[in-house]
Amino acid sequence: VWALRQPALSGGLLAGLGDTEAQQTTLQPLVGRVFVHTLDQETFPSLSEHVDVPPTVPITYHAHLQGHPDLPRWLRYTQRSPHHPGFLYGTPTPEDRGRQVIEVIAYNRDSFDTTWQRLVLLIGDPEGPLLPYQAEFLVRSHDVEEVLPSTPASRFLTALGGLWESGELQLLNVTSALDRGGRVPLPIEGRKEGVYIKVGSASPFSTCLKMVASPDSHARCAQGQPPLLSCYDTLAPHFRVDWCNVSLVDKSVPEPADDVPTPGDGILEHDPFFCPPTEATARDFLTDALVTLLVPLLVALLLTLLLAYIMCCRREGRLKRDLATSDIQMVHHCTIRGNTEELRQMASSREVPRPLSTLPMFNVRTGERLPPRVDSAQVPLILDQH
């Protein structure tokens, strides 16, 4: 059951976000039923009349709950590209009953115009019988935005009626396979992301569906064999269903209520195997503290004294070194030192003029202190050797 659109005209669509009032549209999602709202140029009819927007103009949308940066937990948004329409879809839960306001902003990627509108969602309970029999199918031949329009969804329910003969089928939920842990397909023609479609009915499952979801059928799928399908696949060739991923849920039989624990008085009952001590004897921890602190300090002190004895008290000394050295080696060493000191004294006391080559601006050819005035172009590169 798709949502009923009831536009309430409250003004033209914005050419800017703060100049005019937003258009308001009232929608009525139902608890437990899929809700789909298409975002395209038809849903934004308040464009300025003097502006002709061709259908090929790229438009993107951004939707969020009023007063919040994101959508509510049950609502999702998808758009394949700016040239395709966007979709708001999801299934409200009983906790989501009431009124919710969704603000949608549309961006024109060519003219950079921005328009917006409000979607007032009045979430209520569905009418009619309950749908306790629910089946979920994985359709690998479609993406999620290809199933959200009403025409493909109605075609799926009609084709599924050949397998689920009795009862009226209703669409309960649509989920992209990527949101369920699926992988992004390769960019090859014919590869799709896949979509999970959940259908409910008031009539029991058919024998064919029960056989597909039986343990024997799952065992065959685990071995790489085709599942047990005793009836004709009426969904093919328009919908390629993965029959190994079919799940059936029967809510006709109420689940037994869990036993609610009764709160007690907070006092444990007597247990003969657990007898905690009632009194604790006094204990002196002074001895333990002294042992913990003094023993490491004593060990560190002993190591320090041992290292000081080895480094300071075990030195051989210069006298022992001189006695262990031969006299010839000592004389040779003293002679070298004496000659070196004598040469240094002689070099420091001589008064000899500096070499001319060390003086500044000295010409090695003429002996002049100023550079010679010679034409460098007439000087040969290599002089004759005499």
Side-chain angles (χ1 to χ4, degrees), residues 103-280:
E103 295 181 350
V104 182
I105 305 174
Y107 303 93
N108 188 328
R109 294 302 180 182
D110 284 350
S111 62
F112 302 102
D113 291 335
T114 305
T115 59
W116 70 304
Q117 68 174 194
R118 282 195 191 92
L119 302 178
V120 180
L121 306 183
L122 304 179
I123 304 174
D125 294 327
E127 299 178 356
L130 300 178
L131 307 177
Y133 300 96
Q134 301 175 4
E136 189 175 53
F137 304 89
L138 174 58
V139 181
R140 296 192 178 276
S141 58
H142 288 70
D143 294 330
V144 63
E145 63 271 5
E146 298 176 349
V147 183
L148 292 177
S150 57
T151 302
S154 301
R155 185 183 305 169
F156 180 83
L157 296 178
T158 303
L160 184 61
L163 301 177
W164 200 341
E165 299 175 356
S166 59
E168 180 184 359
L169 303 180
Q170 295 190 21
L171 202 62
L172 301 183
N173 195 10
V174 177
T175 308
S176 174
L178 300 182
D179 297 335
R180 302 279 290 270
R183 295 184 177 182
V184 178
L186 296 175
I188 302 177
E189 185 178 0
R191 296 291 184 91
K192 300 292 184 177
E193 298 174 356
V195 57
Y196 284 90
I197 301 179
K198 192 173 186 179
V199 181
S201 176
S203 302
F205 303 114
S206 62
T207 306
C208 180
L209 293 179
K210 292 180 180 179
M211 184 175 296
V212 170
S214 63
D216 296 339
S217 181
H218 290 303
R220 290 174 59 90
C221 292
Q223 298 176 359
Q225 301 178 4
L228 299 175
L229 188 62
S230 60
C231 53
Y232 177 71
D233 187 2
T234 57
L235 295 172
H238 301 288
F239 300 93
R240 183 165 55 88
V241 178
D242 186 359
W243 294 106
C244 291
N245 284 279
V246 176
S247 60
L248 305 180
V249 178
D250 185 2
K251 295 185 177 181
S252 59
V253 179
E255 298 179 359
D258 298 335
D259 296 335
V260 180
T262 56
D265 53 3
I267 301 176
L268 297 178
E269 300 179 357
H270 176 69
D271 188 357
F273 301 99
F274 178 69
C275 298
T278 56
E279 296 180 0

Side-chain angles (χ1 to χ4, degrees), residues 8-14 17 20-24 46 116-118:
L9 298 178
S10 60
L13 190 61
L14 299 175
L17 281 179
T20 59
E21 296 182 357
Q23 178 194 1
Q24 181 170 306
S46 302
W116 70 304
Q117 68 174 194
R118 282 195 191 92

